[in-house]
Amino acid sequence: MRMLVVDDEAEMAELLARGLGAEGHDVVVAHDGIGALAALAEGGVEFAVLDVNLPGMSGFELCRRVKEVDPSIAVVLLTARDAVDDRVRGLDSGADDYLTKPFAFAELAARIRAVRRRDALATPVRLEVGDVVLDLPRLRVQVSGTELRLSRTEFDVLRTLAGRAGETVTRAELLAEVWDADGHIDPNVVDQYVSYLRRKLSAAGAGIRIQTVRGVGFTVSAESPEPV
């Protein structure tokens, strides 16, 4: 797999590149956002490991730019920050996972494998609920034929719920499926992303409802048409 590593600390970037290369990946290194975007323009990047504290362009902004270039590129953010708000900001920028420094390289490698497994599980090509259509390979959502822009994490939450439409999906199941949670993610993040989805779907007139099952989780279903 061709991977992009972006870290302004040359020694850290080299260590990551060496470790990922030993895992069999083709690694390209950049030290800032401009260099990273130039590497992306060359094509072929499938996975990006981005430090948050970059000069000029933050890792959060770079993550958004990466997803604009190609939503299928998976992103893991690296940062010394450990506040919930920063983790939420990182995930909301479209990151697929978030790792706090210092970390063991084995954990980074495991998280990369987990993200790849999660992507591979998207076996259906298309999911439909009400007026909402999810194009899984392209990570796109349409409402009545009009594209609805979602972050990667929002897409994964909606995909998980839509894949089990009419069933109750627990918070624990969403954490495991979307965040590959191992105890480092605050469960309240699930409720925050469901709230984001509700607002966007409602604004788009999506015709589906995400209902909270108190103390358990959420279920998604098509709204019944209003009586004439």
Side-chain angles (χ1 to χ4, degrees):
M1 181 170 60
R2 185 168 175 78
M3 301 188 69
L4 171 64
V5 170
V6 187
D7 197 307
D8 63 329
E9 296 181 15
E11 185 177 354
M12 173 61 76
E14 176 60 28
L15 286 172
L16 291 173
R18 191 182 308 149
L20 293 169
E23 293 274 319
H25 302 298
D26 176 20
V27 183
V28 58
V29 173
H31 300 294
D32 56 27
I34 299 301
L37 294 176
L40 284 174
E42 295 177 2
V45 173
E46 301 172 68
F47 206 109
V49 178
L50 314 177
D51 185 53
V52 164
N53 296 311
L54 295 173
M57 181 189 302
S58 74
F60 298 127
E61 176 60 25
L62 178 57
C63 179
R64 284 190 286 269
R65 297 283 291 273
V66 168
K67 293 295 186 176
E68 288 173 1
V69 170
D70 186 349
S72 70
I73 297 174
V75 175
V76 171
L77 288 178
L78 306 178
T79 181
R81 302 174 183 177
D82 196 26
V84 171
D85 288 347
D86 286 325
R87 293 202 300 271
V88 171
R89 184 183 175 193
L91 295 168
D92 197 34
S93 69
D96 299 272
D97 206 347
Y98 194 101
L99 193 56
T100 303
K101 294 179 179 179
F103 57 87
F105 179 81
E107 182 179 4
L108 173 61
R111 286 175 180 260
I112 289 171
R113 291 193 297 270
V115 170
R116 295 185 71 190
R117 285 198 305 271
R118 193 170 72 201
D119 289 346
L121 289 175
T123 49
V125 173
R126 176 186 175 103
L127 288 174
E128 296 185 38
V129 182
D131 297 325
V132 178
V133 177
L134 288 81
D135 181 341
L136 300 183
R138 294 179 176 83
L139 306 176
R140 292 177 180 171
V141 178
Q142 289 189 329
V143 177
S144 300
T146 300
E147 186 167 354
L148 176 64
R149 293 184 64 85
L150 299 178
S151 72
R152 175 58 187 272
T153 304
E154 289 169 341
F155 179 91
D156 284 344
V157 172
L158 181 58
R159 171 184 58 79
T160 303
L161 294 172
R164 294 174 55 184
E167 302 177 23
T168 298
V169 182
T170 69
R171 287 178 177 82
E173 288 172 327
L174 281 165
L175 282 169
E177 177 68 22
V178 177
W179 287 275
D180 193 47
D182 55 5
H184 298 295
I185 299 293
D186 188 331
N188 290 328
V189 169
V190 175
D191 296 77
Q192 289 174 319
Y193 274 92
V194 168
S195 178
Y196 299 157
L197 276 174
R198 282 175 173 149
R199 287 199 296 267
K200 290 186 177 183
L201 291 168
S202 176
I208 66 173
R209 178 177 62 169
I210 302 176
Q211 182 176 359
T212 300
V213 181
R214 188 176 297 276
V216 181
F218 306 92
T219 183
V220 66
S221 60
E223 292 180 338
S224 300
E226 295 291 333
V228 178

